[in-house]
Amino acid sequence: MTFEYAPALESTAVVKIKPEYGLFINGKFVPAKGGKTFTTINPATEETLTKVAFASSSDVDKAVAAARAAYSKVWSKMPAAERGKYLFRIARILQERAREFAVLETMDNGKPIRETRDIDIPLAASHFFYHAGWADKLEHAGMGSSPKPHGVVGQVIPWNFPLLMLSWKIAPALATGNTVVLKPAETTPLTALLFAEVCQQADLPPGVVNIITGDGSTGSAIVNHPDIDKIAFTGSTAVGKGIARAIAGTKKAATLELGGKGANIIYEDAPLDETVEGIISGIFFNQGHVCCAGSRLLVQENIHDEVIEKLKRRISMIRIGNPLDKNTDLGAINSSAQLARINELANSGDLEGAERWSPACELPTKGFWYPPTIFTGVTQAHRIAQEEIFGPVLSVLTFRTPQEAIEKANNTPFGLSAGIWTDKGSRILWTAKHLKAGVIWANTFNKFDPASPFGGYKESGWGREGGRHGLAAYLKGNH
Amino acid sequence: MIDGTANSIKSFLKTLSPVDQVGAEARAAMLATRSIKTSSKSWAIDMAISMIDLTTLEGADTAGKVKAICNKAVRPDPSDPTVPHVGAICVYNDMVKIARTHLDAAGGRDIPVAAVSTAFPSGRASLEVKRVDTEDAIAHGAAEIDMVIDRGAFLSGDLEKVYSEIQYIKSLCEGRAHLKVILETGELVTLDNVRKASFLAMAAGADFIKTSTGKVAPAATAPVVLVMLEAVRDWYAMTGVKIGVKPAGGIRTTKDAIKQLVLVNETAGPEWLNPQLFRIGASALLNDLLMQRMKLRDGHYAGPNYVTLD
């Protein structure tokens, strides 16, 4: 007999999903104009979770007006220390309700409860704590003696880390004195709506945070709204380019956090077992739905076979299945559309002659699933080496010298993240200096901290989020 | 790969991949979050009981104390014959005969006696003393020898000495006793040292590599056990020989023991989940396992007086 882990399901009793959710405008939940709604499902089971209001451009108008009024009448006049208190309060409530948020996030997104419980929700709370501390110290942020907020900020966030991306956006915006109209992704609106309840619970003045749900057309209405001062967007490079075009020539400021094709560089002297763990977390964390994923493995040719053998053995141990099971490592793909995209790109890998490998694993029959997959024999000319797959699919390339590793790593329109694995400190520094990527990890991967700025080079985006640098995205300096 | 010369040992250990402390700690911490419930918990509890090297290593040990743990080893729970017996009894050299005789009398003929040897726990004695210590234990019925490595020699770089001593003790054990080599990881400190010492011991002929004497803290921490399990896994890939692992020291609760089994399962692999390849050196652990076993069986916790002392 072998050591089979019996199901260890996290209870969903802590979550009370309402039959229908309105838009959160001016501190209240209100239906969309015309009463239009859409449904959100659990991608692991395809069961409908609830109905959510679909905001049209006139709802966006209402939300922006509420944010503008809150900005000019309340938020911009409030002493900064008082703003900080609201952020501290929100952070504490997020911690108190962490289990509820974790379960709801797992149900709406499909990611494993282990990740929502240990990573998404604690990090979201820590972003509010971190920025709460900044609220009354902005004159020390290196942007002059009295930096000013933009005013009303429009924020559009993706579905891969719904509450965490919300906190990356809302915490710095509020700390710096802006008010917010935020749209969560169409497939993952529920934790943002629960966050709206937290705003009520924290007595945040009405209109400071407005959360409106909808699809791309709603996002576009926010981007093009004339009374919004700044746009903050996280999502695909294609949509990011559209936003850049839309706001060109307007007074709007923007930060864009877009796609990536992160190179994870393995030198021959790397600590192999920990490197394998880093490769795993680089590409299979959050089902690979990570803009900074280490989706291109660049491994020194003389250790390629050994690394691949260890990697395959380790991948065979990944536990795939019910995301609410506390022992699940790899959950569901977020939507059928994303699954189709992963399939399309992975199939191109087959067609272009790369060698596919997945462990023997049973996938659930309901829901959207993709097995952990690696492609070996990939070269720069393969689509799977160039395009962002945004799924649990790793492309393995080789290099012979550090110079070749750098050339290949930088040979991409993206420049978001990279990883370096070596036992040699000087090589870490040399490599990091030559990589064109906004975030570089050494002997680790996919680690995040609110004090550390995050953002990309080239087509991976504009600006930084988090840390002191991230404050600059929400302030106008007076140097 | 090693011919015993200092150079061959050095160049062999140089081929080993280094260990990143932060990464190893993170992996061990992640595996500690595994949630083992119901049927898998009950399986794990029985497996853990059968892996225990039930140990008493005190200056105050007496024949009476040793007999008591022998009885406990054979029938951990007198009210429930379905509880498996433990893996072995582990005692000091002078208690080996008493333990062997009593185990045989109590129906524990198939439970081996392990003797700590080679001037345990410090190992600070001449090779001759270590030889006599080992020979004497085997002569009195020890089927397993738990020797300590010379940490002073290891830390000063005299790897040849460490290697030849293990090899020598192994030659005494050959065909008569299993050899467990105690690395005393709490004195080696770094995980790189743990990995090196593990390979050194395996190359020199260890049948088991063991974390600690139990007399030095920290002892069997999760990252240390992880690195040793990786070492036996890699050694198996290199040579086709499976070496056992024995964490000892600080494993006191069912939770601790189950975390160890998860480490084994997801590192060396399920083939290591048996008492021939994994042992847990412990004394207090057995009673906690028995209490958790009763809880699973009866649905409620029994008081501490429902498990026998010793």
Side-chain angles (χ1 to χ4, degrees):
Chain A
M1 197 180 152
T2 54
F3 196 8
E4 301 292 345
Y5 303 164
L9 299 181
E10 183 65 52
S11 166
T12 58
V14 67
V15 169
K16 304 267 179 292
I17 300 178
K18 295 172 188 162
E20 189 169 341
Y21 286 85
L23 309 169
F24 184 67
I25 296 175
N26 209 24
K28 290 194 188 66
F29 285 97
V30 294
K33 195 182 172 208
K36 206 174 160 195
T37 62
F38 63 102
T39 59
T40 182
I41 65 166
N42 180 338
T45 61
E46 296 176 60
E47 282 160 8
T48 298
L49 293 171
T50 183
K51 276 198 294 193
V52 179
F54 189 111
S56 64
S57 60
S58 65
D59 298 306
V60 174
D61 287 344
K62 265 169 64 184
V64 174
R68 175 60 62 191
Y71 175 71
S72 39
K73 292 185 187 136
V74 185
W75 203 239
S76 63
K77 296 191 171 146
M78 188 183 284
E82 292 301 309
R83 282 201 317 266
K85 284 185 195 171
Y86 281 105
L87 291 170
F88 277 121
R89 205 177 290 167
I90 290 170
R92 284 194 298 270
I93 296 170
L94 285 177
Q95 287 187 319
E96 283 160 16
R97 300 178 71 174
R99 190 55 58 100
E100 185 183 356
F101 271 102
V103 172
L104 185 63
E105 194 79 294
T106 287
M107 293 170 77
D108 203 20
N109 173 281
K111 65 170 74 191
I113 187 76
R114 179 163 65 76
E115 291 180 4
T116 55
R117 180 195 66 197
D118 296 346
I119 297 167
D120 291 62
I121 312 303
L123 261 181
S126 72
H127 270 268
F128 279 96
F129 275 118
Y130 175 81
H131 286 98
W134 266 119
D136 60 354
K137 302 170 192 72
L138 297 173
E139 64 272 28
H140 305 294
M143 300 197 58
S145 57
S146 67
K148 295 280 181 288
H150 286 282
V152 176
V153 181
Q155 306 181 317
V156 178
I157 59 170
W159 45 262
N160 56 343
F161 296 94
L163 186 75
L164 184 58
M165 289 300 108
L166 174 148
S167 72
W168 280 31
K169 294 281 180 286
I170 291 184
L174 297 193
T176 48
N178 298 277
T179 59
V180 165
V181 176
L182 175 136
K183 187 192 88 72
E186 191 182 351
T187 59
T188 56
L190 294 186
T191 48
L193 294 164
L194 189 59
F195 178 83
E197 290 178 24
V198 169
C199 293
Q200 290 178 326
Q201 195 183 339
D203 278 328
L204 190 70
V208 172
V209 168
N210 303 277
I211 293 175
I212 56 174
T213 43
D215 68 1
S217 66
T218 315
S220 165
I222 292 174
V223 168
N224 292 302
H225 199 286
D227 198 31
I228 282 183
D229 302 303
K230 182 216 156 73
I231 298 295
F233 171 77
T234 296
S236 73
T237 294
V239 174
K241 285 180 177 175
I243 291 173
R245 276 192 288 271
I247 64 172
T250 72
K251 65 179 171 109
K252 281 179 195 146
T255 40
L256 304 172
E257 205 270 272
L258 309 175
K261 191 75 186 173
N264 207 359
I265 301 171
I266 319 296
Y267 286 114
E268 60 179 346
D269 63 341
L272 282 190
D273 285 307
E274 292 73 38
T275 299
V276 166
E277 292 305 321
I279 298 169
I280 296 275
S281 96
I283 189 61
F284 301 125
F285 171 56
N286 202 32
Q287 295 69 248
H289 301 329
V290 185
C291 49
C292 55
S295 51
R296 277 188 302 154
L297 189 68
L298 285 170
V299 54
Q300 195 161 341
E301 201 165 323
N302 58 349
I303 55 163
H304 172 271
D305 294 354
E306 191 182 357
V307 169
I308 295 305
E309 197 185 309
K310 274 182 180 272
L311 185 60
K312 284 180 176 176
R313 183 189 157 93
R314 176 64 181 82
I315 291 173
S316 306
M317 291 181 185
I318 290 177
R319 306 176 63 85
I320 307 155
N322 189 346
L324 282 168
D325 191 313
K326 287 177 261 189
N327 293 324
T328 290
D329 299 321
L330 195 71
I333 301 302
N334 181 251
S335 64
S336 63
Q338 185 57 27
L339 182 59
R341 170 153 179 83
I342 295 168
N343 265 314
E344 195 270 323
L345 267 165
N347 292 343
S348 84
D350 295 327
L351 291 174
E352 293 173 3
E355 192 182 329
R356 179 200 286 257
W357 182 88
S358 286
C361 58
E362 254 178 68
L363 299 180
T365 48
K366 277 252 167 142
F368 316 124
W369 301 90
Y370 203 85
T373 301
I374 61 175
F375 278 99
T376 50
V378 179
T379 64
Q380 292 291 91
H382 284 84
R383 276 183 72 199
I384 54 171
Q386 293 295 329
E387 297 179 36
E388 185 175 37
I389 300 175
F390 224 63
V393 182
L394 178 69
S395 303
V396 182
L397 298 88
T398 59
F399 67 89
R400 294 163 297 178
T401 62
Q403 284 73 7
E404 188 181 0
I406 295 288
E407 279 164 19
K408 284 185 169 171
N410 289 340
N411 179 218
T412 163
F414 296 114
L416 189 50
S417 74
I420 306 166
W421 296 84
T422 168
D423 216 31
K424 198 175 253 183
S426 58
R427 189 171 288 146
I428 292 174
L429 297 174
W430 182 87
T431 308
K433 195 170 107 183
H434 291 90
L435 283 171
K436 291 195 166 48
V439 184
I440 298 171
W441 287 287
N443 292 338
T444 189
F445 212 95
N446 274 340
K447 288 275 183 284
F448 307 96
D449 190 283
S452 175
F454 183 97
Y457 276 48
K458 299 189 278 185
E459 291 194 10
S460 288
W462 296 347
R464 292 292 177 268
E465 293 185 286
R468 190 177 63 78
H469 305 75
L471 296 170
Y474 289 96
L475 289 170
K476 291 185 284 190
N478 63 338
H479 320 261
Chain B
M1 45 199 126
I2 294 182
D3 59 18
T5 60
N7 269 343
S8 70
I9 294 169
K10 222 170 151 185
S11 50
F12 169 67
L13 294 184
K14 274 210 172 135
T15 64
L16 300 177
S17 156
V19 183
D20 183 75
Q21 178 109 12
V22 176
E25 283 168 2
R27 173 65 176 157
M30 183 269 135
L31 286 175
T33 70
R34 291 293 191 219
S35 178
I36 304 303
K37 303 280 187 206
T38 58
S39 57
S40 50
K41 185 172 182 181
S42 138
W43 183 87
I45 286 174
D46 279 7
M47 180 55 74
I49 292 173
S50 73
M51 288 170 162
I52 288 182
D53 276 6
L54 196 58
T55 302
T56 185
L57 293 172
E58 301 299 332
D61 284 345
T62 58
K65 168 74 182 171
V66 170
K67 285 178 186 175
I69 69 162
C70 287
N71 287 334
K72 182 93 172 179
V74 179
R75 279 174 301 276
D77 181 351
S79 70
D80 187 347
T82 65
V83 178
H85 65 67
V86 304
I89 287 288
C90 182
V91 291
Y92 271 119
N93 174 310
D94 62 334
M95 292 293 166
V96 170
K97 191 171 181 189
I98 296 162
R100 185 68 269 157
T101 312
H102 197 77
L103 277 173
D104 291 348
R109 216 166 265 286
D110 50 348
I111 301 176
V113 175
V116 293
S117 185
T118 68
F120 179 95
S122 70
R124 298 256 66 87
S126 69
L127 194 57
E128 179 56 15
V129 169
K130 294 179 182 180
R131 180 187 70 78
V132 174
D133 197 4
T134 306
E135 289 282 12
D136 188 54
I138 297 174
H140 286 104
E144 302 183 356
I145 293 295
D146 289 24
M147 72 169 287
V148 290
I149 65 164
D150 186 339
R151 285 87 74 189
F154 183 92
L155 292 170
S156 70
D158 192 354
L159 303 178
E160 200 183 347
K161 179 161 191 235
V162 181
Y163 178 84
S164 62
E165 227 174 70
I166 299 169
Q167 226 183 11
Y168 179 63
I169 302 295
K170 170 73 177 181
S171 72
L172 303 177
C173 294
E174 203 71 71
R176 298 191 290 169
H178 261 63
L179 180 64
K180 304 200 198 97
V181 176
I182 303 172
L183 310 179
E184 196 64 301
T185 54
E187 291 183 348
L188 302 184
V189 180
T190 70
L191 293 178
D192 274 323
N193 277 349
V194 172
R195 184 164 166 84
K196 274 185 201 159
S198 297
F199 275 88
L200 195 61
M202 291 188 290
D207 298 304
F208 256 79
I209 48 176
K210 175 174 167 183
T211 59
S212 328
T213 59
K215 308 292 182 193
V216 169
T221 64
V224 159
V225 179
L226 175 80
V227 166
M228 290 170 66
L229 287 163
E230 286 166 353
V232 297
R233 177 202 64 199
D234 293 349
W235 181 260
Y236 176 59
M238 281 163 68
T239 64
V241 178
K242 286 181 185 150
I243 304 295
V245 176
K246 177 178 168 186
I251 302 166
R252 292 189 185 89
T253 64
T254 301
K255 237 185 187 156
D256 294 339
I258 291 178
K259 282 178 190 172
Q260 295 284 336
L261 298 193
V262 167
L263 277 175
V264 176
N265 194 39
E266 300 198 36
T267 308
E271 317 93 273
W272 260 261
L273 278 175
N274 66 68
Q276 281 76 51
L277 289 171
F278 196 74
R279 294 278 183 80
I280 300 170
S283 42
L285 170 65
L286 181 55
N287 271 351
D288 194 64
L289 287 166
L290 293 173
M291 272 171 65
Q292 292 294 336
R293 199 178 187 278
M294 286 182 200
K295 157 77 167 50
L296 282 179
R297 185 187 65 197
D298 304 335
H300 58 83
Y301 282 103
N305 288 334
Y306 288 83
V307 291
T308 59
L309 288 176
D310 314 312

